[in-house]
């Protein structure tokens, strides 16, 4: 029997792992850096240099890059900064992962702290969370037809499925020259900077993916004039770019996540030879998944009257898009700085980080819970400590509607920061308002028994002759007319004709007359 099959491409998760480790190291200030008396602000970023799989283990190495803004022991009010890194090499166990299986590894800094050992030495300590997910490309063959369908009895059912079209990573590079506003003095040294993505949107067109949004740029620097007084500069840089994607079509389902992997700010001279320009270079990593919706007429069972046909079934899981839903969550709170800190004169820089901590399925949909971390640098009224920092943790929760499903549901949830404003209420209180976007994809997991193969043998005529030629049958719960016909060696057409049925549906308790058919 010649079979016709349709091949679906998908990724199958074969394992995942999670661990938390503490990275710590002592760091000596370089000779060219002035002594340190107090740490004002610290932050860190995890970078991976290498990831590979071997014997059920995911090995990775990279660096924890840290930055510190601090007060020196030189002139009163002098501020400086430094950068350093802590290398790491770790492994996670995923038993089913093989050497060439694609593995996604993420690192997230849970906490970073800096302790002053002495004026030339620091202790850096960071709690880092690592997650690894191993997936394997898989092809599922679905039986859709038989070359000579008249030779056998076939039962078909329609199934809506998603086929994975593209799963890849790409890079968008942005290069932009910025200029200080006319009321700002020339730059002497950049002490601290922040580049953050806002309102990133993506749109698929034929052959490419368009990415738009903006980057907020903050710079704290020492001025070249006025005895190198501290200055700050902020601006918004529009993001507009595209990456090639041959499989892109406007009606496909997609998930595109954007992450600012790297940002560099370099001082440049303007046409008059003064340090008034900045060169901003950004590297944005894009994780791209694209699916195509398809409706397949699948052969769910078959048999023949003139020979013994035995299908071999195997379990398989197919995904169906349940809903694509976006939500906006508004967050607001007031924070008061610690009593030991200096009064706020003016807010300079606010940096934010969004973490979705937990997602819970509820009867109404998905409840997303997380934390928006806001780090604020501000100018003080104390000339001996002109810059100070404050930190706020703003919890949030948002319900996202998801329709009811007959099968288990898998969700993919991405979060982004649309807007954050920090307003000074008084010298010790800051009011924070934020808008967070949550983008949800919900997939229904359809676990099906599909025909993987079949065996054909000669019909057992002796056994067939021993079975009764006419049977009275009472339909039971869960019976299908096709299954009844297969069990009693006849056809659905004969059953419908004999029992004057107008359709294939039968209900429990219904009485049928069955006449055996010999092919």
């Amino acid at each position: 029997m010649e079979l016709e099959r349709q091949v679906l491409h998908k990724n199958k998760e074969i394992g995942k792992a999670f661990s938390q480790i503490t990275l710590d190291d002592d760091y000596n200030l370089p000779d060219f850096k002035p002594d340190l008396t107090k740490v004002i602000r610290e932050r860190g970023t995890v970078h991976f240099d290498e990831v590979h799989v071997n014997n059920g283990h995911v090995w990775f190495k990279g660096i924890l890059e840290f930055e510190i803004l601090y007060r020196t022991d030189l002139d009163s009010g002098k501020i400086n900064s430094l950068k350093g890194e802590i290398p790491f090499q770790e492994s996670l166990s995923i038993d089913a992962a093989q050497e060439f299986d694609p593995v996604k590894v993420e690192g997230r800094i849970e906490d970073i702290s800096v302790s002053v050992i002495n004026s030339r030495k620091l202790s850096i300590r960071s709690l880092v969370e690592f997650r690894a997910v191993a997936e394997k490309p898989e092809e599922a063959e679905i039986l859709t037809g038989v070359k000579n369908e008249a030779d056998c009895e076939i039962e078909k059912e329609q199934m809506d499925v998603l086929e994975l079209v593209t799963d890849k990573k790409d890079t968008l590079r942005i290069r932009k020259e910025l200029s200080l506003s006319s009321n700002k003095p020339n730059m002497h040294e950049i002490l601290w900077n922040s580049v953050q993505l806002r309102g990133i949107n993506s749109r698929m067109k034929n052959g490419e993916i368009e990415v738009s949004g903006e980057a907020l740029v903050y710079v704290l620097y020492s001025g070249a004039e006025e005895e190198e007084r501290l200055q700050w500069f902020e601006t918004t840089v529009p993001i507009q770019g595209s990456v090639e994607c041959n499989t892109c079509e406007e009606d496909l389902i997609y998930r595109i996540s954007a992450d600012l992997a790297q940002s560099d700010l370099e001082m440049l001279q303007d046409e008059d030879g003064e340090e008034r320009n900045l060169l901003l270079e950004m590297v944005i990593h894009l994780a791209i998944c694209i699916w195509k919706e398809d409706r397949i007429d699948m052969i769910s069972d078959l048999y023949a009257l003139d020979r013994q046909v035995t299908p071999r079934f195997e379990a398989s899981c197919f995904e169906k898009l349940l809903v694509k839903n976006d939500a906006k969550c508004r967050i607001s709170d007031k924070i008061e700085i610690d009593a030991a800190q200096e009064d706020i004169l003016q807010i300079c820089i606010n940096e934010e980080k969004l973490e979705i901590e937990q997602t819970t399925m509820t009867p109404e949909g998905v409840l997303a819970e997380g934390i928006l971390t806001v780090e604020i640098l501000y100018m003080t009224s104390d000339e001996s400590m002109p810059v100070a920092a404050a930190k706020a943790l703003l919890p949030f929760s948002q319900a996202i509607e998801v329709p009811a499903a007959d099968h288990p549901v898998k969700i993919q949830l991405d979060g982004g920061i649309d807007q954050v404003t920090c307003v000074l209420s008084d010298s010790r209180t800051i009011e924070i308002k934020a808008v967070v976007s949550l983008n949800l994809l919900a997939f229904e997991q359809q676990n099906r028994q599909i025909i993987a193969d079949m065996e054909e043998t000669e019909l057992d005529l002796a056994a067939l002759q021993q079975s009764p030629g006419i049977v009275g049958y009472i339909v039971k719960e869960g019976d299908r007319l096709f299954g009844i016909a297969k069990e009693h060696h006849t056809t659905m057409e004969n059953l419908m004709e004999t029992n004057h049925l107008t359709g294939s549906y039968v209900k429990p308790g219904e009485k049928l007359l069955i006449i055996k058919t010999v092919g």
Side-chain angles (χ1 to χ4, degrees):
M1 187 180 296
E2 191 172 343
L3 307 178
E4 298 172 358
R5 299 180 183 274
Q6 181 170 337
V7 178
L8 288 181
H9 300 274
K10 57 181 180 176
N11 276 346
K12 180 182 179 181
E13 184 180 297
I14 58 176
K16 57 185 176 182
F18 159 85
S19 72
Q20 282 185 332
I21 65 170
T22 300
L23 298 176
D24 53 35
D25 198 8
D26 291 344
Y27 179 80
N28 295 313
L29 270 66
D31 293 339
F32 61 87
K33 286 290 183 181
D35 287 357
L36 179 150
T37 59
K38 182 179 180 180
V39 174
I40 300 171
R41 173 88 162 82
E42 68 276 289
R43 68 184 176 196
T45 311
V46 174
H47 299 283
F48 294 98
D49 298 325
E50 183 181 341
V51 177
H52 68 272
V53 183
N54 186 22
N55 294 329
H57 286 80
V58 180
W59 300 88
F60 51 89
K61 67 178 182 179
I63 59 168
L64 168 69
E65 185 180 75
F66 61 85
E67 298 176 73
I68 298 170
L69 185 68
Y70 68 94
R71 180 187 173 188
T72 76
D73 66 347
L74 296 178
D75 301 332
S76 176
K78 183 72 175 178
I79 304 295
N80 214 300
S81 62
L82 58 87
K83 292 183 179 181
E85 58 187 47
I86 302 174
F88 61 81
Q89 183 169 337
E90 298 293 330
S91 71
L92 294 173
S93 177
I94 301 180
D95 294 338
Q98 301 299 317
E99 183 176 359
F100 297 106
D101 291 337
V103 177
K104 299 174 183 177
V105 180
E106 295 179 351
R108 186 178 75 170
I109 296 176
E110 290 285 308
D111 183 55
I112 184 169
S113 60
V114 179
S115 303
V116 179
I117 298 174
N118 57 52
S119 62
R120 304 298 303 172
K121 191 173 186 179
L122 300 171
S123 174
I124 315 295
R125 186 179 179 88
S126 179
L127 180 64
V128 183
E129 176 182 292
F130 292 108
R131 292 181 182 272
V133 178
E135 295 181 328
K136 180 177 289 186
E138 187 178 67
E139 291 184 348
E141 293 188 347
I142 300 177
L143 185 60
T144 57
V146 177
K147 188 171 184 180
N148 296 315
E149 293 192 1
D151 293 344
C152 56
E153 300 298 314
I154 294 174
E155 182 181 44
K156 287 189 175 184
E157 65 173 298
Q158 281 192 337
M159 183 170 63
D160 292 327
V161 296
L162 283 180
E163 179 177 12
L164 183 65
V165 176
T166 298
D167 182 9
K168 70 169 187 174
K169 294 184 180 295
D170 212 322
T171 300
L172 182 65
R173 298 180 183 274
I174 305 292
R175 183 183 174 94
K176 182 78 172 179
E177 191 168 318
L178 313 174
S179 299
L180 294 179
S181 51
S182 58
N183 62 335
K184 294 291 183 181
N186 295 349
M187 292 177 287
H188 171 69
E189 181 184 7
I190 295 176
L191 299 172
W192 196 261
N193 71 78
S194 168
V195 180
Q196 303 170 79
L197 301 183
R198 288 289 181 269
I200 299 298
N201 294 305
S202 53
R203 186 167 69 95
M204 294 204 307
K205 295 179 66 176
N206 291 333
E208 65 179 13
I209 297 171
E210 291 185 346
V211 180
S212 62
E214 61 184 22
L216 300 185
V217 181
Y218 297 94
V219 181
L220 179 70
Y221 68 95
S222 57
E225 304 166 2
E226 303 179 16
E227 299 179 349
E228 299 185 1
R229 282 187 56 189
L230 289 177
Q231 301 288 334
W232 68 94
F233 167 73
E234 63 181 83
T235 189
T236 301
V237 176
I239 293 174
Q240 192 73 40
S242 62
V243 295
E244 290 186 3
C245 185
N246 296 331
T247 58
C248 282
E249 297 176 11
E250 294 185 5
D251 59 343
L252 297 180
I253 307 298
Y254 62 92
R255 179 195 186 199
I256 301 172
S257 303
D259 175 56
L260 182 60
Q262 183 180 340
S263 63
D264 294 308
L265 273 171
E266 179 186 349
M267 290 192 302
L268 296 177
Q269 293 183 346
D270 63 8
E271 295 177 354
D272 298 326
E274 297 180 324
E275 303 279 6
R276 298 193 58 80
N277 289 352
L278 289 162
L279 177 62
L280 170 64
E281 292 183 297
M282 293 184 289
V283 178
I284 301 173
H285 283 176
L286 301 174
I288 303 167
C289 277
I290 303 174
W291 299 270
K292 178 177 68 174
E293 289 185 293
D294 202 358
R295 175 166 290 179
I296 297 176
D297 288 325
M298 177 182 74
I299 294 180
S300 55
D301 202 357
L302 79 166
Y303 65 96
L305 296 177
D306 60 347
R307 60 198 183 282
Q308 185 69 35
V309 178
T310 306
R312 180 174 65 82
F313 292 89
E314 66 178 25
S316 189
C317 181
F318 302 94
E319 291 185 349
K320 168 188 174 183
L321 180 66
L322 186 61
V323 71
K324 184 175 183 180
N325 202 354
D326 299 335
K328 300 288 185 183
C329 180
R330 299 184 181 276
I331 308 168
S332 62
D333 201 357
K334 285 186 177 181
I335 63 166
E336 292 192 6
I337 60 174
D338 294 338
Q341 288 189 258
E342 298 79 9
D343 286 355
I344 306 169
L345 186 63
Q346 190 169 359
I347 296 172
C348 303
I349 299 175
N350 49 279
E351 299 176 71
E352 296 83 34
K353 181 175 69 173
L354 178 69
E355 298 288 353
I356 299 173
E357 301 285 340
Q358 182 175 328
T359 55
T360 308
M361 290 297 301
T362 70
E364 293 76 28
V366 173
L367 179 64
E369 298 173 281
I371 293 175
L372 177 67
T373 303
V374 182
E375 305 255 13
I376 299 170
L377 273 179
Y378 63 89
M379 303 297 291
T380 77
S381 54
D382 186 349
E383 291 186 359
S384 64
M385 178 56 73
V387 177
K391 182 177 181 179
L393 301 177
L394 281 63
F396 68 89
S397 63
Q398 178 68 42
I400 307 173
E401 187 176 348
V402 175
D406 298 326
H407 303 280
V409 176
K410 182 181 80 173
I411 63 170
Q412 294 182 352
L413 184 64
D414 293 319
I417 301 171
D418 287 352
Q419 181 182 353
V420 177
T421 57
C422 298
V423 178
L424 193 61
S425 298
D426 56 47
S427 62
R428 305 199 65 79
T429 308
I430 301 172
E431 183 178 4
I432 302 173
K433 292 184 178 180
V435 179
V436 171
S437 62
L438 299 172
N439 306 311
L440 172 74
L441 278 174
F443 303 97
E444 189 173 3
Q445 305 286 96
Q446 304 176 93
N447 295 307
R448 299 292 183 96
Q449 293 288 328
I450 64 171
I451 298 175
D453 202 354
M454 64 182 60
E455 182 183 358
E456 294 184 70
T457 57
E458 291 185 1
L459 195 63
D460 188 345
L461 293 176
L464 182 63
Q465 288 171 357
Q466 289 178 3
S467 64
I470 300 177
V471 175
Y473 185 82
I474 300 176
V475 178
K476 300 187 293 293
E477 187 74 37
D479 276 348
R480 307 176 339 270
L481 197 62
F482 183 90
I484 296 170
K486 179 180 180 181
E487 182 181 352
H488 293 89
H489 203 78
T490 186
T491 66
M492 282 180 56
E493 184 180 359
N494 289 343
L495 281 179
M496 293 171 64
E497 182 179 349
T498 302
N499 294 277
H500 307 291
L501 301 176
T502 57
S504 61
Y505 174 74
V506 287
K507 58 186 178 182
E510 192 171 350
K511 296 178 181 179
L512 300 177
L513 179 64
I514 304 174
I515 302 174
K516 181 174 64 178
T517 303
V518 179

